[in-house]
Amino acid sequence: MNLVLLESADARVFRAGTPQAEHLLRVLKVSAGSSFWCGVKNGARGIASVSEVSPAGDVAFSVAWERPADSPRLPPVRLLVGLSRPQTMKKVFAAAAEIGCVRIDVFRSEKGDPAYAESSLWRRGDGTLASILEKAAEQTCVPALPDFALHASLAAALEAVPADLAERFALDVYEADAAFAPAGTPPGGVAVAVGSERGWSARERAALRGNGFAFAHLGERVLRVETAVTVALAFAGAGFRKAHRPPAA
């Protein structure tokens, strides 16, 4: 954990026994005068200074917040990905959150197994996917978390793509003639579509073309969904690079 997430900017103490207090005391071994990076979910980031560690194990702290202009942001990359088996989707969310994107739009694909949508991952209140995103924020030291949604079809997911996304790509090792090589991230950002484990249907390919998506490949190998997502997001975000590596607290 390189950053401790706060529920609000008003937080000033971690009570004994909470995961945050346990991490600070057992892993970072903080004491009065120690410092650590913290951030509010989808908000500011700053350096917290420990003012007191009580005998019971409460950790009290104050925070020096970064200026908004200095706070790290998510790359303006939007991921559309076909619904796959639950274990695969967990890997997709972990990779997408760690590499960085502003949104993950999952859609039920025509070739995918419809039973995957019945997984507890997609039940209201399950919290598994949200927890994966939070763990990525703690790892990357970037408190911004991507939004996500599950759509009934690719067509529904495409309707949610903002009109100002100038660069739109769909990965397809079978029909693409050009390698995936986004020019950069223009003001509207980049959209990248990755099919489910069984790929695109003919109707889905037509829908993508009709919505301005250019087909591109990542080489001649047929990749797993989570691998394709990892490689594609790394390329797509290459034009959005700002030195947000935090100095040692």
Side-chain angles (χ1 to χ4, degrees), residues 158-238:
L158 291 172
E159 288 180 2
V161 177
D164 63 351
L165 263 68
E167 287 195 289
R168 301 176 177 219
F169 296 92
L171 300 186
D172 190 346
V173 69
Y174 300 107
E175 294 194 7
D177 295 324
F180 179 60
T185 51
V190 178
V192 182
V194 179
S196 63
E197 293 158 319
R198 297 173 185 172
W200 305 111
S201 69
R203 183 159 52 182
E204 286 171 337
R205 286 190 175 96
L208 288 163
R209 289 191 175 97
N211 281 270
F213 281 74
F215 283 91
H217 63 75
L218 296 174
E220 62 184 9
R221 296 175 182 272
V222 179
L223 303 177
R224 294 179 182 273
V225 174
E226 63 269 30
T227 304
V229 165
T230 299
V231 176
L233 289 182
F235 274 95

Side-chain angles (χ1 to χ4, degrees), residues 130-142:
S131 177
I132 290 173
L133 299 183
E134 291 176 9
K135 283 180 168 50
E138 294 169 342
Q139 170 63 36
T140 60
C141 206
V142 176

Side-chain angles (χ1 to χ4, degrees), residues 7 20 28 38 47 54 57 74 80 121 130 141 170-171 173 188 211 226 242 249:
E7 290 296 333
Q20 297 92 335
L28 299 184
C38 67
I47 294 180
S54 74
L74 294 172
L80 290 77
L121 285 179
C141 206
L171 300 186
V173 69
N211 281 270
E226 63 269 30
K242 184 176 179 181

Side-chain angles (χ1 to χ4, degrees), residues 140-154:
T140 60
C141 206
V142 176
L145 281 64
D147 292 328
F148 68 92
L150 174 63
H151 301 273
S153 64
L154 172 62

